[in-house]
Short mmCIF file of all heavy atoms in Angstrom, two decimals:
data_model
loop_
_atom_site.label_atom_id
_atom_site.label_comp_id
_atom_site.label_asym_id
_atom_site.label_seq_id
_atom_site.Cartn_x
_atom_site.Cartn_y
_atom_site.Cartn_z
N CYS A 52 25.84 -14.66 11.11
CA CYS A 52 26.60 -13.65 11.93
C CYS A 52 27.42 -12.65 11.13
O CYS A 52 28.31 -12.12 11.57
CB CYS A 52 27.57 -14.37 12.94
SG CYS A 52 26.73 -15.13 14.33
N LEU A 116 19.25 -3.48 19.39
CA LEU A 116 19.19 -2.63 18.17
C LEU A 116 20.16 -1.57 18.32
O LEU A 116 20.07 -0.69 19.17
CB LEU A 116 17.76 -2.12 17.97
CG LEU A 116 16.77 -3.01 17.16
CD1 LEU A 116 16.50 -4.32 17.90
CD2 LEU A 116 15.52 -2.26 16.85
N VAL A 161 9.47 -2.90 14.68
CA VAL A 161 10.68 -2.15 14.77
C VAL A 161 10.45 -0.70 15.23
O VAL A 161 11.20 -0.21 16.10
CB VAL A 161 11.46 -2.20 13.38
CG1 VAL A 161 12.69 -1.28 13.43
CG2 VAL A 161 11.84 -3.61 13.08
N VAL A 193 14.74 -23.62 16.04
CA VAL A 193 14.56 -22.95 14.76
C VAL A 193 15.90 -22.71 14.16
O VAL A 193 16.76 -22.02 14.76
CB VAL A 193 13.80 -21.62 14.90
CG1 VAL A 193 13.66 -20.84 13.65
CG2 VAL A 193 12.35 -21.90 15.50
N THR A 210 9.78 -20.27 8.35
CA THR A 210 10.68 -20.76 9.46
C THR A 210 11.03 -22.31 9.39
O THR A 210 10.08 -23.04 9.06
CB THR A 210 10.00 -20.55 10.83
OG1 THR A 210 8.71 -21.27 10.89
CG2 THR A 210 9.64 -19.15 11.08
N CYS A 310 24.87 -22.07 4.08
CA CYS A 310 24.32 -20.72 3.73
C CYS A 310 23.95 -20.70 2.19
O CYS A 310 24.51 -21.41 1.38
CB CYS A 310 25.22 -19.54 4.00
SG CYS A 310 26.95 -19.84 3.28
N ASP A 316 18.83 -11.77 -10.62
CA ASP A 316 17.79 -12.21 -11.42
C ASP A 316 17.18 -13.55 -11.02
O ASP A 316 16.35 -14.09 -11.72
CB ASP A 316 18.20 -12.22 -12.94
CG ASP A 316 19.53 -13.15 -13.10
OD1 ASP A 316 19.94 -13.71 -12.07
OD2 ASP A 316 19.96 -13.17 -14.20
N ASP A 345 37.10 -22.05 -3.74
CA ASP A 345 37.42 -22.89 -2.57
C ASP A 345 38.11 -21.99 -1.58
O ASP A 345 39.26 -21.60 -1.82
CB ASP A 345 38.24 -24.09 -2.95
CG ASP A 345 38.36 -25.02 -1.82
OD1 ASP A 345 37.80 -24.67 -0.71
OD2 ASP A 345 38.96 -26.17 -1.98
N ASN A 352 28.52 -17.81 5.82
CA ASN A 352 27.73 -16.78 5.39
C ASN A 352 28.05 -16.34 3.93
O ASN A 352 29.31 -16.27 3.62
CB ASN A 352 27.81 -15.53 6.31
CG ASN A 352 27.39 -15.83 7.79
OD1 ASN A 352 26.32 -15.74 8.16
ND2 ASN A 352 28.36 -16.06 8.59
N PRO A 377 28.27 2.06 20.23
CA PRO A 377 27.09 2.03 21.12
C PRO A 377 27.39 2.83 22.35
O PRO A 377 28.45 2.81 22.98
CB PRO A 377 26.85 0.51 21.47
CG PRO A 377 27.50 -0.21 20.35
CD PRO A 377 28.68 0.66 19.88
N TYR A 398 20.99 13.52 21.48
CA TYR A 398 20.70 12.56 20.33
C TYR A 398 21.22 13.25 19.09
O TYR A 398 20.50 14.11 18.58
CB TYR A 398 19.25 12.16 20.40
CG TYR A 398 18.82 11.17 19.24
CD1 TYR A 398 19.09 9.86 19.50
CD2 TYR A 398 18.21 11.61 18.03
CE1 TYR A 398 18.83 8.88 18.48
CE2 TYR A 398 17.85 10.58 17.14
CZ TYR A 398 18.16 9.23 17.40
OH TYR A 398 17.84 8.36 16.41
N ALA A 402 26.23 11.63 9.86
CA ALA A 402 26.22 11.13 8.57
C ALA A 402 26.54 12.25 7.54
O ALA A 402 26.63 13.40 7.92
CB ALA A 402 24.82 10.41 8.23
N TYR A 434 8.06 26.31 13.16
CA TYR A 434 8.06 24.89 13.42
C TYR A 434 8.11 24.55 14.96
O TYR A 434 7.49 23.67 15.41
CB TYR A 434 9.24 24.18 12.75
CG TYR A 434 9.05 24.05 11.32
CD1 TYR A 434 9.55 24.99 10.40
CD2 TYR A 434 8.32 22.91 10.77
CE1 TYR A 434 9.38 24.92 9.02
CE2 TYR A 434 8.20 22.75 9.43
CZ TYR A 434 8.66 23.77 8.57
OH TYR A 434 8.51 23.65 7.18
N THR A 448 -6.16 16.40 24.52
CA THR A 448 -6.96 15.31 23.99
C THR A 448 -6.82 14.15 24.81
O THR A 448 -7.79 13.42 25.16
CB THR A 448 -6.50 15.07 22.62
OG1 THR A 448 -6.46 16.30 21.75
CG2 THR A 448 -7.34 13.95 21.88
N THR A 467 -6.38 8.20 42.52
CA THR A 467 -5.77 9.63 42.52
C THR A 467 -4.32 9.62 42.29
O THR A 467 -3.93 10.63 41.74
CB THR A 467 -6.21 10.08 43.96
OG1 THR A 467 -7.59 9.92 44.24
CG2 THR A 467 -5.78 11.52 44.14
N GLU A 475 1.68 15.07 36.43
CA GLU A 475 3.07 15.41 36.70
C GLU A 475 3.98 15.11 35.52
O GLU A 475 4.89 15.94 35.12
CB GLU A 475 3.61 14.73 37.98
CG GLU A 475 5.03 15.24 38.26
CD GLU A 475 5.55 14.42 39.59
OE1 GLU A 475 4.70 13.72 40.20
OE2 GLU A 475 6.66 14.61 39.89
N SER A 489 13.48 27.40 24.35
CA SER A 489 14.34 28.40 24.80
C SER A 489 15.76 28.30 24.30
O SER A 489 16.49 29.13 23.84
CB SER A 489 14.31 28.56 26.36
OG SER A 489 15.21 29.48 26.81
N ASP A 552 65.63 62.65 -21.32
CA ASP A 552 64.38 63.09 -21.86
C ASP A 552 64.22 62.76 -23.34
O ASP A 552 63.06 62.40 -23.82
CB ASP A 552 64.24 64.68 -21.74
CG ASP A 552 64.28 65.02 -20.34
OD1 ASP A 552 63.68 64.29 -19.47
OD2 ASP A 552 64.85 66.09 -19.95
N ARG A 553 65.28 62.79 -24.05
CA ARG A 553 65.27 62.40 -25.55
C ARG A 553 64.86 60.96 -25.73
O ARG A 553 64.43 60.56 -26.78
CB ARG A 553 66.47 62.81 -26.22
CG ARG A 553 66.81 64.28 -26.28
CD ARG A 553 68.05 64.55 -27.06
NE ARG A 553 68.28 65.96 -27.13
CZ ARG A 553 69.10 66.59 -26.40
NH1 ARG A 553 69.73 65.96 -25.40
NH2 ARG A 553 69.42 67.95 -26.47
N LYS A 565 64.61 73.17 -16.14
CA LYS A 565 63.97 73.83 -15.03
C LYS A 565 63.08 74.94 -15.58
O LYS A 565 63.26 75.56 -16.57
CB LYS A 565 65.15 74.57 -14.23
CG LYS A 565 64.68 75.23 -12.99
CD LYS A 565 65.85 75.80 -12.24
CE LYS A 565 65.43 76.34 -10.80
NZ LYS A 565 66.52 76.89 -10.12
N LYS A 597 74.07 83.44 -24.52
CA LYS A 597 72.76 83.91 -24.95
C LYS A 597 71.94 84.71 -23.88
O LYS A 597 71.09 85.46 -24.12
CB LYS A 597 71.87 82.75 -25.56
CG LYS A 597 72.54 82.19 -26.76
CD LYS A 597 71.67 81.05 -27.29
CE LYS A 597 72.28 80.35 -28.52
NZ LYS A 597 71.46 79.27 -29.06
N ASP A 601 72.97 88.89 -14.68
CA ASP A 601 74.16 89.07 -13.72
C ASP A 601 74.05 88.15 -12.59
O ASP A 601 73.04 87.49 -12.35
CB ASP A 601 74.12 90.57 -13.30
CG ASP A 601 72.88 90.88 -12.52
OD1 ASP A 601 72.02 90.00 -12.43
OD2 ASP A 601 72.70 92.08 -12.22
#
Side-chain angles (χ1 to χ4, degrees):
C52 287
L116 271 65
V161 174
V193 177
T210 57
C310 50
D316 56 2
D345 187 357
N352 298 274
Y398 185 74
Y434 283 94
T448 303
T467 305
E475 183 179 358
S489 176
D552 296 324
R553 294 187 180 93
K565 189 176 181 182
K597 294 179 181 180
D601 58 3

